[in-house]
Every structure is written in structure tokens, then in C-alpha cells.
Amino acid sequence: MGLLDHKAAVVTGGAQGIGLAIAGAFAEQGARVVLGDIDRDRVASAAAALREGGADVVGEACDVTSESDMEALVASCVERYGSLDVMVNNAGITRDATMRKMTAEDFKTVIDVHLFGAWLGTRFASAIMREQGSGSIINMSSISGKVGNPGQTNYSAAKAGMVGMTKAAAKELAHLGVRVNAIQPGLIRTAMTEKMRPEVWEQRLTEIPMGRAGEVDDVAGVAVFLASGLSSYMTGTVLEVTGGRHI
Ligand SMILES: NC(=O)c1ccc[n+]([C@@H]2O[C@H](COP(=O)([O-])OP(=O)(O)OC[C@H]3O[C@@H](n4cnc5c(N)ncnc54)[C@H](O)[C@@H]3O)[C@@H](O)[C@H]2O)c1
């Protein structure tokens, strides 16, 4: 018996990192999963690797900033698996720079991928879930959206915006049986954080009461909780997965 038996999920940004770990954890709990990612080759090989482990997973090329791509992504889950029970809006990028150097395009692109992308995912997924009378939507925010990080005015704004969007959507959808929650990871070891300068990484580590960076599975476990019936009376919440940083 898995926590997500008979459920079908879509995970954006699922070709690597946190999204891929979430997909693997969902599959371990019995879910069938559609991975969406802008990296066509990587998402295909990520899905193939999970299938080799016995999971029922497919990879689809998709740009979360494209309305037609996102509509097609959620539709493909329903066509293939008969329902859409869990939507994880996880795709993300960084374009870090101080405001002196950040271009308007850097700002707009980051807002577009995180905030508009998650809004599209929430909108299209909830259209299906409201008809089903059930569903769980999980938006991948960041602790950067709570505290703000220098060099990340774009990213922090997008991640804080996702919290407001999550709460508004939760209120719109609660009476329809659809829950919407957000996760705010702290410092998690992925390709995204590998780009950080070593001295910045070391400085961030000193801020973490648990004394270590997070691993992708630390976030995936919380996503399983929010996706499953274990969190049946939770909506509009923001769960921090930070090892105690910035509490
Ligand atoms: N790693 C961390 O420390 C950390 C902390 C807080 C929040 N997050 C958030 O978690 C999420 C996953 O981050 P990660 O660390 O696994 O990053 P990652 O770079 O390893 O993975 C991000 C994935 O998103 C995909 N992607 C990027 N733009 C896309 C688009 N327009 N359409 C579809 N897919 C797109 C990439 O191809 C990639 O596969 C992001 O939203 C990130 O902001 C990460």
C-alpha cells in the first residue's frame, strides 16, 4: 500500500534536482507521474531511468511560461492516466545579480518562469481537479521569498508572489475539494545551488541550525506529505524545509 496509490501527478521542472526527486518519491508511493521540463532530452532520459526502476512515468517537453504547453501537459496526464490528482509547480531558474547589474529582462524572465508558470499550472490543474472534486497543488516557493536574498530581487519577488498566489488559490478552491500549498526549501544541494560561489555556500551553511545543507529527498518527503491524504485538512499553508534556517 502506497500513500499515493491510484493517483496521477504532474511535476514541472522534473528532469533533475528537486522535481526529479519528487517524481521518484511519488512513484515509490504508487503514483503515476508525468514529468514536464523545458529540457526535452533530459526529461526523456529521467523518465526512462525511473521506468527502469519499475515506475510508471513519462517525460514531456514543456515550457511552463507557455499557456499551450501547460494546458497540453495537464491534459496529457488525464489522457494517459485518467485523472490529475497532484500538480507540482516546481520548474525554476535563477538570474542572480544586484539591482545595479540586473537587467529588466533578468527580472521579467525569473518572474515569468516561477510566478506566471506556477499560476498557469495552478489554473489548468485546478480546472480539472474541480471537476473531479479533489486534488492537491504544490507550489515550490523558496525561503528567499520569506526573507529576501541580496542579488535575488527577481527570485525573491517571484517566490514571495507564489505564496500570495497559493493562499488566494487555496481560498478559491477549498470548497471544491482542491488543496493548494507551498513549500519553501532553504539551501538544497542541486545544480541550481552548485552555481553558488564556495564562500557564499559556506556562509549560508553557518546560518543553518541543523548544520547541513538539505538534500533533494528532504524536500521530496514533504511533497509526498502534501500530495497525500496525510495532509487532508491543510490548505494555503507554507512549509519551510530549511533545517531551521530563517525561522
Ligand atoms: N536548490 C535549492 O536550494 C532551492 C531552494 C529553494 C527553492 N528551490 C526551488 O526548487 C525548484 C527546483 O530547483 P532545483 O534546485 O531542483 O533546480 P534545477 O536547476 O536542478 O532544476 C530546475 C528544472 O527546471 C527546469 N526548467 C527551467 N525553466 C523551465 C521552463 N521554463 N519550463 C519548464 N522547465 C523549466 C530545468 O530544465 C530543470 O530541469 C525551483 O523552483 C527552485 O527555485 C530550490
Side-chain angles (χ1 to χ4, degrees):
M1 281 281 286
L3 286 168
L4 302 176
D5 281 344
H6 313 298
K7 292 196 188 295
V10 169
V11 182
T12 69
Q16 63 178 35
I18 292 171
L20 180 56
I22 289 173
F26 281 8
E28 263 177 36
Q29 293 297 332
R32 294 153 297 170
V33 185
V34 178
L35 297 178
D37 202 286
I38 201 163
D39 190 331
R40 179 182 295 272
D41 293 340
R42 201 188 290 263
V43 78
S45 50
L50 287 174
R51 278 197 302 275
E52 269 175 32
D56 192 347
V57 177
V58 291
E60 305 265 353
C62 138
D63 179 349
V64 296
T65 67
S66 156
E67 282 194 63
S68 55
D69 279 12
M70 286 300 276
E71 190 165 21
L73 184 71
V74 300
S76 78
C77 181
V78 179
E79 274 158 31
R80 185 174 291 267
Y81 298 129
S83 65
L84 172 61
D85 305 293
V86 185
M87 177 79 197
V88 184
N89 293 304
N90 165 82
I93 57 166
T94 49
R95 295 279 185 277
D96 293 357
T98 59
M99 275 194 292
R100 285 177 64 205
K101 292 194 179 148
M102 187 179 290
T103 64
E105 196 190 335
D106 289 337
F107 186 84
K108 286 183 184 168
T109 304
V110 168
I111 297 286
D112 214 23
V113 172
H114 293 275
L115 187 53
F116 183 59
W119 181 77
L120 285 177
T122 301
R123 184 162 181 265
F124 287 126
S126 64
I128 293 162
M129 291 171 174
R130 64 195 298 153
E131 295 303 318
Q132 292 175 174
S134 66
S136 171
I137 298 172
I138 301 166
N139 291 322
M140 197 58 65
S141 173
S142 164
I143 202 67
S144 180
K146 175 182 169 183
V147 299
N149 276 338
Q152 291 195 317
T153 48
N154 50 2
Y155 185 82
S156 300
K159 292 307 201 184
M162 286 172 75
V163 170
M165 196 261 291
T166 296
K167 292 183 179 187
K171 287 178 182 172
E172 283 190 22
L173 297 167
H175 70 288
L176 298 163
V178 181
R179 300 184 296 112
V180 192
N181 292 286
I183 298 176
Q184 290 191 324
L187 183 65
I188 311 296
R189 203 183 300 276
T190 68
M192 184 178 274
T193 48
E194 265 168 22
K195 288 188 238 159
M196 281 166 65
R197 293 200 310 277
E199 63 272 23
V200 176
W201 176 272
E202 289 304 320
Q203 199 279 326
R204 297 246 165 113
L205 273 185
T206 66
E207 300 170 358
I208 303 172
M210 285 180 72
R212 66 167 177 90
E215 304 296 336
V216 289
D217 288 341
D218 291 318
V219 183
V222 177
V224 168
F225 169 70
L226 287 177
S228 77
L230 290 177
S231 58
S232 54
Y233 198 50
M234 291 175 71
T235 196
T237 67
V238 184
L239 298 189
E240 297 179 14
V241 185
T242 63
R245 180 165 164 239
H246 296 316
I247 45 179

